[in-house]
Each structure stands twice: as C-alpha cells, then as structure tokens.
Amino acid sequence: MTFRLPNKKLTYPCNAIVQQSVKPRRLAVSGRCRKLRLSEENRQRMASSGEEVSNKQLIFRDYVTGFPQESDMYVTTGTVKLKPLTGFGVSKVLDSRNPEFKEGDLVWGITGWEEYSLITNPQVLFKILHTDVPLSYYTGILGMPGLTAYAGFYEVSSPKKGENVFISAASGAVGQLVGQFAKPMGCYVVGSAGSKDKVDLLKNKLGFDEAFNYKEEHDLDAALKRCFPEGIDIYFENVGGKMLDAVLLNMRPHGRIAVCGMISQYNLDQPEGVHNLMSIIYKRVRLEGFGAPDYFPQHPKFLDIVLPYIREGKIKYIEDIVEGLEKGPGAFIGLFKGQNVGKQVVVVARE
Amino acid sequence: MTFRLPNKKLTYPCNAIVQQSVKPRRLAVSGRCRKLRLSEENRQRMASSGEEVSNKQLIFRDYVTGFPQESDMYVTTGTVKLKPLTGFGVSKVLDSRNPEFKEGDLVWGITGWEEYSLITNPQVLFKILHTDVPLSYYTGILGMPGLTAYAGFYEVSSPKKGENVFISAASGAVGQLVGQFAKPMGCYVVGSAGSKDKVDLLKNKLGFDEAFNYKEEHDLDAALKRCFPEGIDIYFENVGGKMLDAVLLNMRPHGRIAVCGMISQYNLDQPEGVHNLMSIIYKRVRLEGFGAPDYFPQHPKFLDIVLPYIREGKIKYIEDIVEGLEKGPGAFIGLFKGQNVGKQVVVVARE
C-alpha cells in the first residue's frame, strides 16, 4: 500500500525531520500497532522542521490499542504538521535542495501517506531509472516486496533445481513472486491462500502447481501431506502460528524455512505457541528470518534479473489498486482481513 | 553413556544383522522412547543372524509407553538373541572376518549395551588411532559429543571473535566443550545448568565467564538480560521449551541458534509451545538443527584440532563414570533427571 506521484511539491532540505512515524510495512511486520503515539514533543519537532503548505494527510487520531480500526484514522487537509503514516511509495520530485535529486525525478522509497512530503533523509529513496513498466510496480515487484521475494528465495532458501516449495499467503505481493521465481528452476510449487479466488489465481494465472484455501482445511498437516507426499524442501513463511506448526511436521531433511513474516500473529495479545520445533533437529532444518533492507545494495542486480522477466511476460504481477487517499484506511485494515488480492496499492495522485 | 572394552569376543561377519534397536543417543534426541517395540519379526531376524554365545545384555522388557523407568530394563545373561539397547561405545575387536579390522583393534561407534557384540555393519565403527588419552574419551570429547560440539559451534554457529555465546545444559558432554571452544576465540560465554555443583563447575573449572542454575531462576528472560545486557549472538540449544522462548527475546540482530537438542521436551506428551518466534524476523535470526552424523567425514580434521588441546591441558573434560552393565538402567534414567555431572559413561568391562 502506498502513495504514488504527488502532483505538486516535494522538497529535500538537509536537516529537518518531517517523516518519522509509523510505517505501514513495519507496523504489519512488528505488531507495534498496539501502541502508536503522537507526542507533543513530536508535534513541536515537526512544527519546527520546515515551511508549512496545504496538504492532505492520513493521520491516526490518537493512541491505537489493540487491533486498529478504520475509524482510528482520518484524512485531513491543513497546514498543521501532524505525523502522517509512512510507507513505501512512488513520488515525483517537485523541488530539491539535494544535488542528488532534481525536479522531475521519479523515486521510490519511504514516503508519507500524504499528498506532499518534505523529505529530509533521502537515503530512504531510490531513483527510478526504468519507466517502461507501470510506476506502481516500484511499490511491489520492483520495490521492497520484490526484493523481499528475491532475497528470501534466492539468498536465504538456497534453492536447488526441482525442489518442493511451499508458500503461505501465496497470492500476496511477495508470495506470488516467490512462486514465479521457483517455477523456472523446475521446482514443484504449492501455495496457500484464504479464498477460492486467490487459490484460482495461483493455479490458473500464476502457474503454481497446486494451491489450497487454508480456511477450508480443518487439518493443515493433512493438507500439506496431500500436496507434498514426499515433504517440503523450502517453506517461504508469511503467516506463522498453526501453519508453521504443520509445515514443521512435513519438512524434508535439510529443508530451509525463509521467515519473511507471521501475519497471523501480529495482532494477537499473545502469539500462538509453536509445538513442533523438534523437527528442526530430526530433519536438520534451517529457519532464517530476513528483511529486505539488508539486501538494498543488491537492488540493481535484482532489477537486472526481474525487469526482463516482466518485459517478456514471464512473470505476472497482480495489484489491487484503490484510488484516493480517502480509501487508505479501508485498504490498510483490509490487509489484516485478507480483503486484497495481490499487492494493495493506494493511488494518491496520478501524474 | 556407553560400553567400553568387552574382554572376550567381538566378531564381524558380513551379512548378519544383530544390532538394530534403540540407540540411547537417538532415543535421547528423538523422544522415541515413548514406543519401543521388540517385534517377533525382529526376534526371528536376530535369531537367524549368527552364532549364539553366552552374553550379558541390557534389555527393555516390553513396549515402553511414556517416560521410561529404571524397572523397564533388565540385565540378562543367556544365549537368547534379544535386541539390546545400542549406543556409542568403545570396543576391542576379538575376532573379525572383515579385512578392515583385525583382532586387537580398538574401535568407537555404535555398539550394543552388552558384553559382546556381533557387528555386521562396520561402517558405524571408527578405528581408534590415538591411545595416549583415556579410551572413554572416544565416547565423548573425541567421539560423537565432541564432533557435535565442534560442528554445532564452528560449522553451524558461524562464530566471530568476541561474540556473546549462551549454552544451555552447559555442563553436559557437548555443552562443556562448546564453551571451551568459544573462550579461545575471545567470546563471552555463559552457561545454564540444573544444580549449584554444575554451575560451580562451569565457572570455576571450565572457564565460563558466567553461569546460572535455571531451576533457581523464576524469570529466565530476566536471568538472560542480567547475563547478557547487550544480547546474545550465539545460542547453543540443548534444552528447548521455556529456555528457547526466553532466549528468542534476547537475541541480537543476525544471531545464530545451533539447535543440538531439546531435552526438556522429549518426554512430554505434547511439546511446549514456543511463543516468541517473531523475534526471528525482527532480529533476522538463523535457527539451524544439526546432527553429528552429517559431519563424520570431518572427524579426522576435528581430531587434529582437539587432541592437541587435550594433551596440552587447554580443554578440560568431565566424565561421570559408573562401573558395570547393571548400573546402566539407573545411569540412563538419570540423564533425564540431570543426575549426571559431565558425560555419563557406563563401563562394561575394563581391558
């Protein structure tokens, strides 16, 4: 979910701090959404950080305790410098005092959920050099989720030709790519998702060998044994909890689990217990947590691999686009309900 | 725990199968002790496998369901070819039809809990070439536990100079060696154990920087934060359950957990749930299960490293030796009660 192409002014002063608040991605990853705070100190720091312009922003009303609701957020237009939510987005530079960026440059990286952003830490932004693909792809397949899929599969999972690969949340921004990276290696690829539509998408459009709706499986262990009678070599972990427990029972010797996320656990007061960790010993399994930021230096290499796939139509990429910042709260909360199919994108402004 | 130096006859026919039953080490590792079976088919196969000799053996009476008791085992002398328990031991070859072994050779590897063994799969045995150290060491520091410590620390944990290392069950056959491998690398080494004597041993004899008795800590997380205010880089995992859960809260970014065993979990009807696995993502932690058998080809290299340490007194090695096969059941069950201090050895016969 992100912003795209603000159509007015984006500036890069050197020492001000404007954007430092909750990042949707981090929030999704860390479960920190239970306590979000807009302190008076922050407001003052924000207020002293640059010129004030009229700006539409997506704001949290106050602390959020427990699971966030759509009504916890609101869109406001004004000159008050409240902290908006932040996330990965695509933007156009409207003004810059940083010699690395000039007016008209297109960038992707961490920006605010707002029409205009004052960027003071441009190291979180990357210039967009290839514009023959949809710009929204830089919020997904060509941005952080794409790099996540690349790193988690090629770097963390040590894949070998013909191995058995299982991906949970497989129709999401990351999962759909992992499956499509694995297929050209001759892997047998199975995905799980939470609706019939998503399962159909995986099997009929994204080239997965098999897929199942985890909500319709009373026994995940049995579902995995049905799909993987000979066991799993690589599990790309996006959900955690009961699914991880079932997968552990089905790993092959020397299997690898790339731990990308555990979305089923983020909003629980107490994460579920995972009981089958002894399989790690019996099967000599490796579990490894990772995050795309560790792999940012490899982004150009990643683009060299994935851009040709996109241009040649060898990789399909599904987005779920809503128009307007006002749709942000609903789209954000929908992530936790499995509402979106493919990468959720919020368009703030079209060029 | 093992047998040492049977003083009569040990033969190596080529195609018979004599030893194939429960291995104490594997039993300790896998929790399979809940169902041990002596089937009629096995008895017949045993009976057809070679000459019968008078032999003292340690036998399971019948199925063992749940936690094994000392009374589940008995020592018998006879010619009936029941399957004895098996485990790693040191033996002398008394007779051989295999050209690789000759009378008088000393070997270590998987043998029966009995006075004499008929070995038909000599690939599980390794010749002992260095006899200037106690032969019992080949059941420990120079055998499988030593290779386990070596592989888990040097190969799996990717240690770096000066890192923070935590070892559970640290006074055991493996743990005590891991700590002594880590210290010469300038690591800060802390161990946990289950008695004051063991803690004293770690701190005063084995060179650990710190140690604590987990049975006296009501809050393992707090104990770890006290010992590791800056967090843990390497955790050598021997116990699982609550300790693993507490460790996960204290790992540093890019920390490694070498998963060697989970002895607190083997005899539970349902393993405890581990709740803090999300730390794997936040801290980008790697957990890796491993077993010494994967590293047997590196045993000569391992000996080249560890034998000089022993000869020069740079590594101390603690054994807990009981005399006589009759002491086997008590020593075995004692493992699960934390009764032994150091490597538990059962002497079947002295040379």
Side-chain angles (χ1 to χ4, degrees):
Chain A
M1 176 161 11
T2 185
F3 300 89
R4 190 171 137 194
L5 294 177
N7 56 8
K8 293 185 194 165
K9 193 173 182 183
L10 184 70
T11 59
Y12 295 87
C14 292
N15 296 311
I17 298 169
V18 172
Q19 296 184 316
Q20 256 203 346
S21 66
V22 183
K23 296 160 192 159
R25 164 74 189 173
R26 176 174 299 177
L27 187 143
V29 169
S30 72
R32 288 188 209 166
C33 49
R34 276 170 279 173
K35 277 202 175 180
L36 304 176
R37 182 169 185 169
L38 294 177
S39 70
E40 189 52 36
E41 180 196 349
N42 272 342
R43 291 185 197 216
Q44 287 172 5
R45 189 170 56 180
M46 304 291 285
S48 68
S49 63
E51 63 189 316
E52 293 190 350
V53 293
S54 173
N55 199 7
K56 193 189 281 184
Q57 298 179 312
L58 183 60
I59 308 284
F60 270 110
R61 290 182 195 284
D62 206 338
Y63 293 110
V64 176
T65 306
F67 200 94
Q69 305 295 320
E70 196 171 331
S71 57
D72 290 330
M73 291 168 268
Y74 68 103
V75 175
T76 182
T77 303
T79 58
V80 181
K81 294 201 167 192
L82 290 176
K83 285 165 51 172
L85 280 70
T86 61
F88 282 89
V90 171
S91 306
K92 181 193 274 184
V93 177
L94 299 180
D95 186 17
S96 169
R97 298 176 211 165
N98 182 311
E100 299 288 316
F101 297 88
K102 64 177 192 304
E103 188 182 330
D105 280 352
L106 292 166
V107 296
W108 73 271
I110 294 174
T111 56
W113 292 42
E114 56 188 352
E115 289 181 294
Y116 308 102
S117 290
L118 183 67
I119 304 292
T120 59
N121 50 341
Q123 67 276 11
V124 301
L125 295 178
F126 302 87
K127 272 199 221 185
I128 292 174
L129 303 176
H130 308 277
T131 56
D132 59 330
V133 291
L135 287 176
S136 60
Y137 278 21
Y138 288 92
T139 70
I141 184 171
L142 297 177
M144 203 272 289
L147 189 62
T148 300
Y150 166 85
F153 184 66
Y154 291 112
E155 303 279 339
V156 178
S157 301
S158 313
K160 295 186 207 58
K161 200 169 177 323
E163 287 194 319
N164 292 346
V165 177
F166 176 56
I167 303 156
S168 55
S171 70
V174 176
Q176 59 176 283
L177 298 177
V178 175
Q180 293 181 87
F181 289 154
K183 281 307 300 174
M185 289 189 69
C187 293
Y188 169 74
V189 179
V190 177
S192 66
S195 74
K196 183 178 180 306
D197 284 350
K198 292 177 182 177
V199 167
D200 289 346
L201 185 74
L202 293 171
K203 286 167 44 169
N204 302 325
K205 193 158 180 181
L206 298 175
F208 282 55
D209 295 292
E210 193 53 75
F212 65 87
N213 180 350
Y214 72 91
K215 292 179 181 170
E216 290 185 350
E217 300 287 347
H218 297 298
D219 183 342
L220 291 174
D221 177 37
L224 290 170
K225 284 188 165 53
R226 184 181 74 230
C227 293
F228 293 101
E230 295 180 357
I232 299 166
D233 295 296
I234 292 174
Y235 172 45
F236 197 98
E237 162 69 307
N238 286 312
V239 303
K242 291 180 179 63
M243 184 66 88
L244 176 57
D245 237 350
V247 166
L248 285 166
L249 296 175
N250 289 280
M251 291 302 289
R252 298 182 76 174
H254 296 289
R256 287 84 65 203
I257 300 179
V259 187
C260 177
M262 294 189 175
I263 199 165
S264 73
Q265 305 296 299
Y266 299 144
N267 292 303
L268 302 178
D269 286 337
Q270 154 109 351
E272 292 176 281
V274 172
H275 298 269
N276 298 321
L277 287 170
M278 280 192 286
S279 292
I280 294 177
I281 308 170
Y282 309 152
K283 305 289 184 62
R284 289 149 291 161
V285 167
R286 168 159 59 84
L287 268 94
E288 190 162 350
F290 71 99
D294 288 339
Y295 297 90
F296 278 157
Q298 296 180 50
H299 190 256
K301 177 182 161 195
F302 159 68
L303 287 185
D304 287 345
I305 293 173
V306 80
L307 274 170
Y309 277 145
I310 294 172
R311 290 174 183 139
E312 294 161 22
K314 288 184 179 166
I315 282 190
K316 293 185 179 63
Y317 179 62
I318 312 295
E319 294 177 310
D320 192 333
I321 295 180
V322 298
E323 295 280 341
L325 195 54
E326 288 75 5
K327 297 275 180 62
F332 176 47
I333 298 306
L335 285 178
F336 298 97
K337 298 177 181 169
Q339 182 179 284
N340 57 308
V341 178
K343 169 67 177 175
Q344 180 72 70
V345 179
V346 178
V347 177
V348 177
R350 296 213 174 256
E351 197 167 16
Chain B
M1 175 158 16
T2 188
F3 300 90
R4 191 171 137 193
L5 295 176
N7 56 9
K8 294 185 191 164
K9 192 174 184 184
L10 182 70
T11 58
Y12 295 86
C14 291
N15 297 311
I17 297 170
V18 170
Q19 296 182 315
Q20 255 206 345
S21 68
V22 182
K23 296 158 192 161
R25 164 72 190 172
R26 177 175 297 177
L27 185 141
V29 168
S30 73
R32 288 187 210 169
C33 49
R34 276 169 280 171
K35 277 203 175 177
L36 302 176
R37 182 167 183 170
L38 295 177
S39 70
E40 189 52 37
E41 180 195 350
N42 271 342
R43 291 184 196 216
Q44 287 173 6
R45 190 168 57 180
M46 305 289 286
S48 67
S49 63
E51 62 189 317
E52 295 192 348
V53 295
S54 173
N55 199 6
K56 192 190 283 187
Q57 298 179 313
L58 183 59
I59 308 282
F60 271 109
R61 290 183 195 283
D62 206 337
Y63 291 111
V64 176
T65 306
F67 200 96
Q69 305 294 322
E70 195 171 332
S71 57
D72 290 330
M73 292 167 269
Y74 68 103
V75 174
T76 182
T77 303
T79 59
V80 180
K81 295 202 166 190
L82 289 176
K83 282 165 52 169
L85 281 69
T86 61
F88 283 89
V90 171
S91 306
K92 182 192 271 185
V93 177
L94 299 180
D95 187 14
S96 170
R97 297 177 213 164
N98 181 312
E100 300 288 316
F101 298 87
K102 65 177 194 300
E103 188 182 331
D105 280 350
L106 291 167
V107 295
W108 74 271
I110 294 174
T111 56
W113 292 42
E114 55 188 355
E115 288 182 297
Y116 309 101
S117 289
L118 184 68
I119 304 291
T120 59
N121 50 342
Q123 67 276 13
V124 300
L125 295 178
F126 302 86
K127 273 201 217 183
I128 292 174
L129 304 176
H130 308 275
T131 56
D132 58 331
V133 291
L135 288 176
S136 60
Y137 278 20
Y138 287 91
T139 70
I141 184 170
L142 297 176
M144 204 272 290
L147 189 62
T148 300
Y150 167 84
F153 184 67
Y154 292 112
E155 304 279 340
V156 178
S157 301
S158 313
K160 294 184 208 56
K161 198 169 177 324
E163 286 194 319
N164 293 345
V165 178
F166 176 56
I167 303 155
S168 55
S171 70
V174 176
Q176 60 175 283
L177 298 177
V178 175
Q180 293 182 86
F181 290 153
K183 281 308 300 173
M185 288 190 70
C187 293
Y188 169 74
V189 180
V190 177
S192 66
S195 74
K196 183 179 179 306
D197 285 350
K198 292 176 182 177
V199 168
D200 289 346
L201 185 74
L202 293 171
K203 285 167 45 168
N204 302 326
K205 194 158 180 181
L206 298 175
F208 281 55
D209 294 293
E210 194 50 77
F212 64 87
N213 180 350
Y214 72 91
K215 291 179 181 169
E216 290 185 349
E217 302 286 346
H218 296 297
D219 183 341
L220 292 174
D221 177 36
L224 291 170
K225 283 188 168 50
R226 184 179 74 229
C227 294
F228 293 101
E230 295 180 357
I232 299 166
D233 295 297
I234 293 174
Y235 172 44
F236 198 97
E237 162 70 305
N238 286 313
V239 303
K242 291 180 180 61
M243 185 65 88
L244 176 57
D245 237 351
V247 166
L248 285 167
L249 296 176
N250 289 280
M251 292 301 290
R252 297 182 76 176
H254 296 289
R256 286 83 67 203
I257 299 179
V259 187
C260 177
M262 295 189 175
I263 197 166
S264 73
Q265 305 297 300
Y266 298 143
N267 293 304
L268 303 179
D269 285 336
Q270 154 108 350
E272 292 176 281
V274 172
H275 297 270
N276 298 320
L277 287 170
M278 279 192 285
S279 292
I280 294 177
I281 308 171
Y282 309 152
K283 305 289 184 61
R284 289 149 290 162
V285 167
R286 168 160 58 83
L287 268 94
E288 189 161 349
F290 71 99
D294 288 338
Y295 298 90
F296 278 156
Q298 296 181 49
H299 191 255
K301 177 182 160 194
F302 159 69
L303 286 185
D304 288 344
I305 292 174
V306 80
L307 274 169
Y309 277 145
I310 294 172
R311 289 172 183 141
E312 294 161 23
K314 289 184 180 167
I315 282 190
K316 293 184 177 64
Y317 179 62
I318 313 293
E319 293 176 310
D320 191 333
I321 296 180
V322 298
E323 295 280 341
L325 194 55
E326 288 74 5
K327 296 276 180 64
F332 176 49
I333 298 305
L335 284 179
F336 299 97
K337 299 176 180 169
Q339 182 180 285
N340 57 309
V341 178
K343 170 66 178 177
Q344 180 72 69
V345 179
V346 178
V347 177
V348 177
R350 296 213 173 258
E351 198 166 14

